[in-house]
Amino acid sequence: MKNNPPQLVSFFLRVGLAVVFLYAAISSFLNPLSWIGFFPSWLRALIPDTILLLLFSSYEILLSLWLFSSWRIVYAALFSIATLLSIIVTNLGALDIIFRDVAILFMAVALAVLHWEKKK
Amino acid sequence: MAVTKFMTSFALVITLFLALVSLGCSPPPMKVTEAPVPEPLPLVEENAAPEMVVEEAGVMVGSQAHTIEIKNDGFNPSTLTINAGDTVSFVNKNTVSHWPASAVHPTHTAYPGSDVKKCSTSEKEIIFDACAPLKAEESWSFTFMEKGSWKYHDHLNPRFTGTIIVE
């Protein structure tokens, strides 16, 4: 890895993204009231809050493990992009809080671009 | 390959460590108990002339009461200008619960002395934090002593925000 900058870049991007999703998943288990408000109201009307949090946290944990694994990373990056984009779009009124997610979104985009050429 | 595996393992360890730290730093689970529903304070316009002369010790003379209603579109009014020592009552006029608290979500530390971690302590009465969801028609009041422009939000719906300007 020392003589392969792209591989090192990929590693750091994957770890950064994975840590974000893992922290959010764990924190939502510990402090659900702090996280449930980020889900759109129409979704909360369809699915009970506890189940919604459980499903999304489980998905985040799986996504973080996928990112750690380095297997088919371009698809993990695309899932990360979709997840972050949906969080940002549904929480534009809370930009004071989610502005960091915009930066993390571009990390996911960078990861996808980095691995897109390898996919080809 | 060995280096890659090691770095991956190291990252996992760091992540687990962060998770444990957050476990240690997270506030204890808050018990939400039925709060008695106080009588809602009368809506007082900002330019209203009469002032309450409070005779009890420890309460500022000349303080006014204000009301912010929480509806399905957020706080109304979302921006309120008051004087130091005035009390603001947050009344939930919606069917779902709301939790008014100081910015920033989720720590609530913008207003001096406030912190969501203090909700489970004896200091909960003096922080800008309802410390629990307000059900329909429930209200919570806070007296603002610090001058400044204080942003707040609904802890259960961070998109709902407001500002209280204390002069």
Side-chain angles (χ1 to χ4, degrees):
Chain A
M1 195 191 281
K2 198 163 63 171
N3 295 326
N4 192 342
Q7 193 177 1
L8 198 56
V9 167
S10 170
F11 172 77
F12 284 125
L13 287 172
R14 285 187 291 112
V15 168
L17 284 167
V19 165
V20 164
F21 289 123
L22 199 55
Y23 179 86
I26 293 171
S27 187
S28 68
F29 278 123
L30 300 175
N31 302 296
L33 291 182
S34 294
W35 294 88
I36 192 61
F38 293 110
F39 291 93
S41 51
W42 59 266
L43 192 58
R44 292 175 68 181
L46 288 173
I47 305 171
D49 288 353
T50 48
I51 294 175
L52 188 56
L53 277 169
L54 182 65
L55 287 174
F56 193 71
S57 299
S58 303
Y59 161 75
E60 285 181 308
I61 289 173
L62 288 173
L63 185 55
S64 68
L65 291 174
W66 189 2
L67 287 161
F68 273 132
S69 76
S70 73
W71 177 76
R72 303 273 176 110
I73 283 303
V74 68
Y75 298 109
L78 291 173
F79 269 94
S80 302
I81 290 169
T83 305
L84 289 159
L85 208 51
S86 62
I87 291 169
I88 291 166
V89 165
T90 55
N91 288 282
L92 287 173
L95 201 55
D96 279 0
I97 301 165
I98 57 117
F99 71 94
R100 297 174 192 90
D101 291 335
V102 176
I104 299 166
L105 167 68
F106 282 98
M107 282 174 58
V109 170
L111 187 65
V113 168
L114 195 63
H115 286 267
W116 190 259
E117 287 302 317
K118 288 184 186 178
K119 173 181 171 288
K120 284 181 181 176
Chain B
M1 183 64 97
V3 172
T4 305
K5 284 184 180 175
F6 168 76
M7 294 293 276
T8 304
S9 305
F10 179 74
L12 271 171
V13 168
I14 293 295
T15 306
L16 282 170
F17 172 76
L18 287 171
L20 284 170
V21 167
S22 72
L23 178 65
C25 294
S26 63
M30 284 174 264
K31 287 184 184 177
V32 179
T33 53
E34 279 287 334
V37 180
E39 268 189 57
L41 293 171
L43 198 61
V44 178
E45 293 181 8
E46 287 184 281
N47 295 326
E51 297 178 342
M52 292 192 307
V53 177
V54 184
E55 297 176 342
E56 291 182 30
V59 182
M60 282 183 64
V61 173
S63 63
Q64 287 189 334
H66 307 267
T67 299
I68 292 176
E69 295 186 336
I70 313 171
K71 299 178 178 176
N72 61 0
D73 61 347
F75 297 101
N76 294 286
S78 61
T79 300
L80 182 64
T81 302
I82 64 175
N83 295 315
D86 286 359
T87 299
V88 176
S89 288
F90 293 86
V91 184
N92 186 1
K93 291 294 188 182
N94 201 1
T95 54
V96 298
S97 296
H98 294 280
W99 179 331
S102 168
V104 175
H105 180 79
T107 54
H108 309 173
T109 54
Y111 188 82
S114 289
D115 191 325
V116 71
K117 293 177 187 175
K118 294 182 180 179
C119 282
S120 53
T121 71
S122 58
E123 291 181 88
K124 67 179 283 186
E125 305 300 329
I126 59 170
I127 59 174
F128 182 11
D129 195 325
C131 286
L134 302 178
K135 295 179 185 173
E137 297 305 324
E138 283 187 349
S139 66
W140 169 77
S141 299
F142 182 72
T143 301
F144 289 83
M145 305 302 292
E146 300 285 342
K147 292 183 179 179
S149 180
W150 309 113
K151 288 190 172 184
Y152 65 93
H153 69 290
D154 176 4
H155 183 68
L156 302 179
N157 192 343
R159 285 180 292 276
F160 291 172
T161 60
T163 304
I164 293 179
I165 302 165
V166 183
E167 296 175 338

